[in-house]
Amino acid sequence: MTKRKIIIDTDPGQDDAVAILLALASPEIDLLGITCVAGNVPLELTAKNARIVCELAGRPETRVFAGCDRPMARKLVTAEHVHGKTGLDGITLPDPVMPLQDQHAVDFLIETLRTEPEGTVTLCPIAPLTNIATAFERAPDIIPRIQEIVLMGGAYFEVGNITPTAEFNIYVDPEAAKIVFGAGVPLTVMPLDVTHKALTTRARVEAFREAGRVGPAVASWTDFFERFDKEKYGSEGAPLHDPCTVAYLLRPELFSGREINVEIETGSDLTLGMTVADWWRVTQRAPNATFIGDVDADGYFALLVERLAQL
Ligand code: BDR
Ligand code: CA
């Protein structure tokens, strides 16, 4: 089997953690590295949490890199109100002993994309896009070498979760998002419209709890962060956002969407970070993204449980 080579760019975050576990549990995927960025919590914690997750999975040889500690042009906004003080609240896991790589995440992205054969590396950003956009600015030659980007971010019908009109990952670094959405790389986007259909219902959380060695930790994470979303949305559970990206690589038939134009608002204080998604194709602007709108949620959670149980 030819494995799909991916790099996960992340700010763990409980849902990021599940995305990392899904990749590590999947034989179809070769996880070349995990690049960390400031987002849900500051960089020091995201780089620590990524290693906690690798050790939980029994994969301490995974290479974890620390990247940018703040957005390209703005002050960092974090989300401890959702993810807790550590970013990974829910269960206390041991501090990691595996090393953080010396190389900066942006240098790792550039070097990897230059050395791996053209068109063979997929990027899965599930955090503010600072590392990716910084790499594009520093080394534009890597852009055409990327196979595909599958990212979590943005919204259309669901509009926003950190402001009335913006989703967190795009809002935190809209300048970076503008660079990535404008780069011309094949781009698949998992917006809130799809992740809000992938809810951690009671039955799904209980299935996680039974899913092998890592199951209880995953259930404790979802138990923790769903309290915030359930109260906010009055829903049955919380959206499990980030693993949608990795699940899409494994089982694209679970998802459906359309190719549309998506522009990023960087000029307005009121709607900063809005993904202006031309879902109804009312402009002549050329499509630059496959914007996913629907998911077979039962299939998605079944895939997660099946794979997590392998770890
Ligand atoms: C995104 O923001 C973060 O809080 C989550 O980890 C996810 O990547 C959802 O808006
Ligand atoms: Ca995230």
Side-chain angles (χ1 to χ4, degrees):
M1 179 204 322
T2 319
K3 292 188 175 218
R4 180 80 174 241
K5 287 185 266 193
I6 75 167
I7 298 171
I8 295 183
D9 188 71
T10 180
D11 60 345
Q14 294 89 349
D15 60 326
D16 301 73
V18 182
I20 293 168
L21 290 177
L22 177 61
L24 290 173
S26 295
E28 305 92 325
I29 285 180
D30 179 7
L31 183 58
L32 299 179
I34 297 174
T35 51
C36 299
V37 70
N40 286 324
V41 284
L43 178 68
E44 205 186 317
L45 286 173
T46 63
K48 176 180 170 188
N49 292 345
R51 287 176 292 145
I52 289 176
V53 174
C54 293
E55 289 191 357
L56 173 71
R59 300 287 292 277
E61 74 286 2
T62 310
R63 293 188 298 165
V64 175
F65 302 83
C68 300
D69 64 359
R70 72 188 80 122
M72 296 181 99
R74 296 173 192 274
K75 269 182 67 179
L76 177 65
V77 175
T78 53
E80 285 89 353
H81 60 293
V82 183
H83 301 276
K85 207 154 50 71
T86 66
L88 216 47
D89 280 21
I91 183 174
T92 307
L93 293 166
D95 278 356
V97 292
M98 64 182 276
L100 184 63
Q101 300 293 310
D102 289 335
Q103 195 177 25
H104 191 282
V106 171
D107 295 325
F108 169 73
L109 283 162
I110 294 170
E111 186 187 290
T112 305
L113 285 161
R114 280 181 177 161
T115 49
E116 292 289 339
E118 186 170 333
T120 64
V121 177
T122 293
L123 305 183
C124 282
I126 52 178
L129 290 158
T130 322
N131 283 343
I132 310 293
T134 304
F136 285 9
E137 283 221 319
R138 290 240 303 266
D141 57 291
I142 65 174
I143 296 173
R145 302 184 63 81
I146 297 168
Q147 182 173 9
E148 184 181 1
I149 295 178
V150 182
L151 68 82
M152 191 279 136
Y156 176 45
F157 294 102
E158 289 284 343
V159 199
N161 62 357
I162 185 77
T163 74
T165 55
E167 180 280 329
F168 180 79
N169 290 341
I170 306 298
Y171 177 76
V172 172
D173 199 341
E175 283 74 20
K178 197 178 182 76
I179 290 169
V180 172
F181 277 72
V185 180
L187 177 62
T188 298
V189 179
M190 297 290 163
L192 297 180
D193 305 280
V194 65
T195 67
H196 281 204
K197 292 176 180 149
L199 298 179
T200 56
T201 61
R202 235 351 56 206
R204 290 169 180 163
V205 174
E206 292 320 313
F208 278 150
R209 212 180 303 281
E210 300 302 315
R213 215 171 39 79
V214 303
V218 171
S220 77
W221 290 333
T222 53
D223 276 344
F224 178 84
F225 77 73
E226 73 172 18
R227 89 216 176 284
F228 174 79
D229 282 330
K230 275 162 85 172
E231 196 174 310
K232 179 173 165 196
Y233 300 115
S235 56
E236 246 196 296
L240 193 58
H241 306 281
D242 291 341
C244 285
T245 54
V246 179
Y248 174 80
L249 293 176
L250 296 167
R251 299 276 307 278
E253 69 280 5
L254 293 175
F255 299 87
S256 59
R258 52 202 301 184
E259 275 185 52
I260 60 167
N261 176 272
V262 183
E263 303 292 332
I264 310 295
E265 177 61 61
T266 56
S268 154
D269 284 343
L270 188 62
T271 58
L272 185 68
M274 183 173 189
T275 42
V276 181
D278 188 5
W279 184 262
W280 299 117
R281 300 187 180 120
V282 295
T283 72
Q284 300 304 310
R285 295 195 285 260
N288 58 348
T290 302
F291 211 65
I292 301 296
D294 210 351
V295 58
D296 168 356
D298 286 333
Y300 170 61
F301 280 93
L303 173 69
L304 280 164
V305 170
E306 172 210 311
R307 295 303 170 95
L308 296 180
Q310 311 295 315
L311 284 170

